[in-house]
C-alpha cells in the first residue's frame, strides 16, 4: 500500500503544479482583460451610452436581446438607443469600445476624409469566415486605403456609364424571364414570395453581365447558388451576433461552420474556373464576351500588372460582386413592392408614369430611365427607410470634435444611415413613406438631409455598383408594373431581418394578376 501511495505522490505533485499554472495563467488573462475593459471605460467616461449589462460582455447581448424579446432588427434597436442617449454614444462589446454616430458633421468628416480607414477588427470577418477566405481583400473588406485605391481603379472601367448602357439588353432579358416565371402563378390566388424570385433573377443577371455565367436560378429550383449566398450571409450575421460561434464545439455550430465553408468553396471554385477559362481564351486569341470580367482582366493585363491583384484578389472581387450584385437590387425591389402594396396612391401614380413612358414597348431603353422620375423618387424613399446595409465603420485618424465631446484618435466609429434616415432632425415625418420628399425642387429638404442619407455610403469608398443597382431596379420594376398588378398579403409581418443585408422577414408575399 505504501508503495502505491509513494508512486502516486509524484503524479499528484505534477497535477497540482499543472492546476496551479493553469489557474495562474487564467488569473493573468483575467487581469489583462480587466485592464483593457477599465481602459475603455476610462477613455470614454464622458460619453453617454447604455449601461453595460456585464463587466465581461459589456453591451454584447444588447442587440441580440432586442431581436429576441422585442423582435427588433439592429437598426430599430439603434434607433431606440439614439432616442435615449442622443445621436452620439458609445458601447462596448467584450473589451472593444466603439462609438455610434448619427451626426451629419461626423458622417461628413469620416466618409469624405480617406485618412479615416476601415478597422481591421471589424472587417476581418468579411475577409476570412470560419477559417476560410471569404471576401478576402475585395473592395468591401480591404482596410488598407492604398491597396483599396489601386483595386478600385482596376474595377472602375466595368462600371462606367458607357458599359452600363450596354447592359440594358441583359437587364431586359432578365426582366422578361422574371415575367414569364410570374405568368404561370399570376392567378390572383397563388401566394408568391416575391423576394425569392427577385433574388433569383438578380443573381442570374449579375452572373450573366458580370461573368457570362448561366446560373439559371430563376428557372432551376436545384440551382445551388441562391441557398449558398443565403448560408454565407447567415453565417456571417451569426458570427457578428455570437462571436464565440467559431470556437463552439457543439454539433449545431460545427454544422454551421461546415455549411458556410462548403458554400464559400462552391462560389470561389466557380469563380476560379470562370477566370482561368477567360484568361486562357484571351491568351489564345479566342472570342471572349464583353462583360465585367473581361474589362477587369484588360485593366489588370490578365492579373499580371499589379502584385497586389492576382488570382486570389480577383476571386475576392468575384465573390463580392456575386453577392452584392444580387442582394442590393433584390432587397430594394422587395421593399419597394411591399411599400407600393401599403400605399395604393403611390402605386397608382407610379403605374401611370410607367404607362406614359413605356406604353406597350417590349423593352426598356436607357433613355427611358431618365423619364421615370417618380420611380426614382420611390426607389430613393425605399432606400431611405430600408438601406441595403445599415451603415459603415471607420477608425479615426485624428481627434474629432462633436459639441462638448472629443472622439479620440484610433476610435472605432459606426455611422448609421438606417437610423439617421428615421430621425426628425433630418426628415419631416420620417416614418411616413413619401417619395415626393425627394423632389429636386425641394432645396430645403436637400440641405436638411445632406450627409444624413447615404444608402450606398459616401466619398471615395461609396458603392461602386450603385448605378448598376438603380438601373437594374428600374428596368425590372418597370416591366413588372407594365405586366402585372400586385396585391400584398395582409397577414405578413413588417419585420426586417438582418442577414448582413436587410430584407423583409416574410419575403414580400403577394397575389399577382395579369393587367388587362
Amino acid at each position: 500500500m505504501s508503495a502505491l501511495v509513494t508512486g502516486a505522490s509524484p503524479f499528484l505533485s505534477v497535477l497540482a503544479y499543472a492546476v496551479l499554472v493553469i489557474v495562474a495563467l487564467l488569473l493573468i488573462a483575467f487581469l489583462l482583460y480587466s485592464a483593457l475593459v477599465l481602459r475603455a471605460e476610462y477613455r470614454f467616461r464622458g460619453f453617454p451610452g447604455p449601461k453595460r449589462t456585464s463587466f465581461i460582455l459589456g453591451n454584447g447581448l444588447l442587440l441580440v436581446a432586442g431581436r429576441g424579446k422585442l423582435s427588433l432588427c439592429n437598426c430599430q434597436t439603434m434607433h431606440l438607443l439614439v432616442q435615449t442617449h442622443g445621436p452620439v454614444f458609445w458601447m462596448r462589446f467584450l473589451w472593444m469600445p466603439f462609438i455610434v454616430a448619427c451626426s451629419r458633421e461626423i458622417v461628413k468628416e469620416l466618409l469624405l476624409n480617406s485618412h479615416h480607414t476601415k478597422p481591421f477588427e471589424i472587417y476581418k470577418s468579411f475577409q476570412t469566415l470560419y477559417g476560410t477566405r471569404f471576401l478576402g481583400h475585395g473592395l468591401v473588406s480591404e482596410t488598407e486605403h492604398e491597396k483599396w485605391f489601386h483595386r478600385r481603379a482596376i474595377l472602375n472601367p466595368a462600371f462606367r456609364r458607357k458599359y452600363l448602357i450596354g447592359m440594358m439588353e441583359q437587364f431586359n432579358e432578365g426582366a422578361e424571364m422574371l415575367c414569364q416565371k410570374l405568368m404561370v402563378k399570376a392567378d390572383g390566388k397563388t401566394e408568391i414570395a416575391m423576394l425569392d424570385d427577385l433574388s433569383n433573377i438578380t443573381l442570374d443577371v449579375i452572373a450573366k453581365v458580370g461573368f457570362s455565367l448561366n446560373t439559371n436560378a430563376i428557372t432551376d429550383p436545384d440551382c445551388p447558388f441562391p441557398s449558398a449566398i443565403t448560408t454565407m450571409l447567415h453565417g456571417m450575421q451569426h458570427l457578428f451576433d455570437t462571436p464565440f460561434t467559431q470556437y463552439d464545439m457543439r454539433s449545431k455550430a460545427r454544422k454551421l461552420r461546415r455549411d458556410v465553408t462548403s458554400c464559400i468553396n462552391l462560389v470561389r471554385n466557380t469563380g476560379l474556373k470562370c477566370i482561368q477559362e477567360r484568361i486562357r481564351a484571351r491568351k489564345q486569341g479566342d472570342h471572349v464576351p464583353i462583360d465585367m470580367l473581361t474589362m477587369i482582366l484588360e485593366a489588370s493585363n490578365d492579373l499580371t500588372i499589379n502584385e497586389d491583384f492576382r488570382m486570389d484578389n480577383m476571386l475576392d472581387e468575384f465573390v463580392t460582386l456575386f453577392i452584392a450584385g444580387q442582394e442590393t437590387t433584390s432587397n430594394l425591389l422587395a421593399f419597394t413592392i411591399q411599400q407600393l402594396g401599403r400605399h395604393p396612391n403611390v402605386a397608382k401614380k407610379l403605374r401611370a408614369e410607367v404607362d406614359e413612358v413605356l406604353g406597350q414597348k417590349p423593352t426598356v431603353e436607357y433613355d427611358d430611365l431618365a423619364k421615370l422620375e417618380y420611380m426614382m423618387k420611390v426607389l430613393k424613399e425605399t432606400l431611405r427607410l430600408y438601406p441595403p446595409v445599415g451603415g459603415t465603420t471607420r477608425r479615426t485618424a485624428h481627434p474629432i470634435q462633436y459639441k462638448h465631446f472629443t472622439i479620440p484618435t484610433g476610435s472605432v466609429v459606426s455611422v448609421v444611415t438606417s437610423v439617421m434616415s428615421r430621425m426628425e432632425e433630418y426628415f419631416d415625418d420620417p416614418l411616413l413613406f413619401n417619395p415626393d420628399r425627394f423632389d429636386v425642387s425641394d432645396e430645403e429638404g436637400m440641405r436638411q438631409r445632406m450627409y444624413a442619407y447615404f444608402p450606398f455610403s459616401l466619398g471615395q469608398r461609396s458603392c461602386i455598383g450603385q448605378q448598376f443597382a438603380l438601373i437594374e431596379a428600374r428596368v425590372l420594376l418597370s416591366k413588372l408594373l407594365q405586366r402585372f398588378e400586385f396585391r400584398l398579403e395582409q397577414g405578413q409581418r413588417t419585420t426586417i431581418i438582418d442577414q448582413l443585408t436587410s430584407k423583409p422577414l416574410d419575403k414580400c408575399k403577394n397575389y399577382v394578376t395579369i393587367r388587362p
Side-chain angles (χ1 to χ4, degrees), residues 418-482:
S418 59
V419 173
M420 296 180 72
S421 62
R422 294 169 180 248
M423 292 172 63
E424 293 183 351
E425 292 90 327
Y426 308 125
F427 295 92
D428 298 328
D429 295 322
L431 299 184
L432 176 66
F433 186 80
N434 176 22
D436 288 323
R437 74 173 77 243
F438 285 95
D439 195 317
V440 293
S441 63
D442 183 9
E443 295 181 2
E444 177 61 30
M446 292 174 65
R447 284 193 296 269
Q448 186 178 356
R449 63 176 174 267
M450 187 176 293
Y451 304 116
Y453 174 81
F454 48 100
F456 293 100
S457 194
L458 293 170
Q460 285 188 320
R461 295 201 70 153
S462 61
C463 176
I464 194 172
Q466 175 177 350
Q467 290 305 315
F468 177 99
L470 291 174
I471 292 173
E472 182 185 16
R474 280 177 284 178
V475 173
L476 290 172
L477 186 56
S478 295
K479 297 298 291 182
L480 290 175
L481 294 178
Q482 186 187 46

Side-chain angles (χ1 to χ4, degrees), residues 289-353:
I290 304 301
D291 56 14
M292 288 181 175
L293 177 57
T294 292
M295 300 191 75
I296 294 170
L297 292 177
E298 286 180 353
S300 65
N301 195 21
D302 289 336
L303 309 182
T304 62
I305 199 171
N306 190 324
E307 287 294 329
D308 288 328
F309 196 75
R310 294 292 192 244
M311 181 59 78
D312 275 345
N313 306 113
M314 183 64 235
L315 286 173
D316 297 340
E317 304 303 350
F318 177 91
V319 179
T320 301
L321 295 173
F322 201 75
I323 295 175
Q326 180 219 32
E327 287 288 303
T328 302
T329 309
S330 61
N331 294 346
L332 167 59
L333 287 174
F335 280 121
T336 300
I337 293 173
Q338 191 178 72
Q339 289 303 309
L340 294 178
R342 294 174 185 162
H343 300 87
N345 290 337
V346 174
K348 181 179 179 181
K349 185 175 180 180
L350 180 56
R351 187 175 290 110
E353 181 183 71

Side-chain angles (χ1 to χ4, degrees), residues 141-155:
S141 50
E142 178 57 68
T143 57
E144 295 184 34
H145 181 74
E146 287 302 317
K147 290 183 178 180
W148 171 87
F149 183 82
H150 291 306
R151 288 172 196 152
R152 175 79 177 233
I154 292 172
L155 269 67

Side-chain angles (χ1 to χ4, degrees), residues 3-21:
L4 290 174
V5 172
T6 303
S9 297
F11 172 75
L12 293 176
S13 298
V14 171
L15 181 62
Y17 179 75
V19 170
L20 184 62
V21 169

Side-chain angles (χ1 to χ4, degrees), residues 238-294:
H238 195 77
L239 181 62
F240 285 150
D241 295 340
T242 316
F244 294 112
T245 299
Q246 54 190 330
Y247 310 113
D248 192 340
M249 297 309 297
R250 289 176 295 180
S251 59
K252 185 177 181 180
R254 293 201 308 271
K255 182 179 185 305
L256 174 64
R257 293 195 294 269
R258 286 196 305 270
D259 290 346
V260 170
T261 298
S262 175
C263 292
I264 293 173
N265 290 333
L266 168 67
V267 176
R268 290 187 73 91
N269 288 337
T270 300
L272 178 62
K273 293 177 183 177
C274 177
I275 297 164
Q276 288 176 335
E277 289 174 2
R278 186 66 56 83
I279 292 175
R280 187 181 306 113
R282 281 170 51 82
K283 288 181 177 179
Q284 293 175 352
D286 296 340
H287 171 75
V288 294
I290 304 301
D291 56 14
M292 288 181 175
L293 177 57
T294 292

